[in-house]
Amino acid sequence: MTDTNRETERDAILFEMHKTHSNPTAKDIEELIRRHPQYADDIRSHAAILKDWAARQELPAPEPDEAMISRSQSRMLDALHKARSAASGDQTPARTFEQIMAATGTNVPDLARSLDIGRSVLSALVSGRMLAPVGDRLVAALTNCWSITVEQLEAAATLALSNPTLGLLKAGGTPSVIPRSYEELVRTSSMSDARKQYWLGKA
């Protein structure tokens, strides 16, 4: 089985787990591992994330503090500025990840090796299966590698999310996988714990 087929099969299993077990029990986890022993680590990691989500849903919603309000206002003003720039024709059309990689002579496998990051993480970003925000260290690494701005990377990520792909196939109709957070993609990757901690850190 190729790496791409393995990742597709693993994602399908985790997606099914997400649909059927919002808060998996130990018995649920054991049964999934029995059926798919080759993905035992991924199943355990995903189960831990699902249980964490379930626990958070039972907590009262946090009251917004001054920092949260300030960040929200900043994002709103930034979005307003971008909308005005686009309307006035001042903004350069966003490029896709495919266009950026073609212009810089790079690809996912080579980037994964040079950055020492799980190929599945980069593949999820480029194919529109990673939710915003992208991790600080990956943003810093890619903007430096591609000589682009953070805004250009975010625009490419938005384009990818609006037109996701699965492997070499377009995700038509109901997709077989759902976009996942950067943190979840890193934690469920095949990287060592040390590399996972690095990529989950702050730039």
Side-chain angles (χ1 to χ4, degrees):
M1 181 181 294
T2 66
D3 289 343
T4 299
N5 289 338
R6 179 181 172 84
E7 289 175 10
T8 300
E9 181 184 60
R10 181 195 62 197
D11 284 350
I13 291 167
L14 295 179
F15 176 63
E16 186 63 26
M17 177 181 175
H18 183 90
K19 287 197 306 181
T20 57
H21 303 294
S22 60
N23 187 11
T25 64
K27 184 177 180 181
D28 294 331
I29 298 168
E30 288 175 3
E31 174 61 19
L32 283 166
I33 292 174
R34 186 188 64 77
R35 287 163 47 199
H36 309 288
Q38 69 275 34
Y39 302 117
D41 290 341
D42 294 318
I43 290 170
R44 291 190 189 97
S45 296
H46 196 66
I49 292 169
L50 288 175
K51 292 184 76 66
D52 183 53
W53 285 354
R56 291 182 186 181
Q57 288 176 353
E58 296 175 1
L59 297 174
E63 291 293 327
D65 56 21
E66 290 185 10
M68 291 174 63
I69 294 172
S70 176
R71 283 196 297 270
S72 297
Q73 290 175 337
S74 176
R75 289 170 182 162
M76 179 191 68
L77 292 173
D78 181 59
L80 182 60
H81 170 72
K82 288 178 180 177
R84 286 174 175 169
S85 295
S88 64
D90 293 337
Q91 192 174 40
T92 303
R95 292 187 296 169
T96 65
F97 284 122
E98 288 77 10
Q99 291 171 326
I100 292 171
M101 289 191 290
T104 55
T106 56
N107 57 57
V108 169
D110 290 343
L111 278 171
R113 282 191 293 271
S114 64
L115 298 178
D116 195 11
I117 188 172
R119 180 175 172 180
S120 61
V121 178
L122 281 182
S123 178
L125 171 63
V126 170
S127 62
R129 293 181 288 122
M130 180 186 292
L131 296 170
V134 180
D136 291 347
R137 284 188 169 163
L138 183 55
V139 169
L142 291 178
T143 53
N144 179 63
C145 178
W146 288 332
S147 297
I148 62 174
T149 65
V150 173
E151 290 75 17
Q152 288 172 319
L153 187 143
E154 290 176 345
T158 299
L159 283 175
L161 270 172
S162 67
N163 189 30
T165 60
L166 180 59
L168 299 177
L169 302 175
K170 292 289 181 181
T174 302
S176 60
V177 296
I178 57 173
R180 294 188 283 164
S181 69
Y182 172 80
E183 179 181 353
E184 182 180 357
L185 287 162
V186 170
R187 291 192 186 283
T188 58
S189 73
S190 59
M191 289 187 288
S192 67
D193 289 342
R195 293 308 294 167
K196 290 178 183 180
Q197 289 304 313
Y198 173 81
W199 287 109
L200 290 172
K202 298 292 183 180

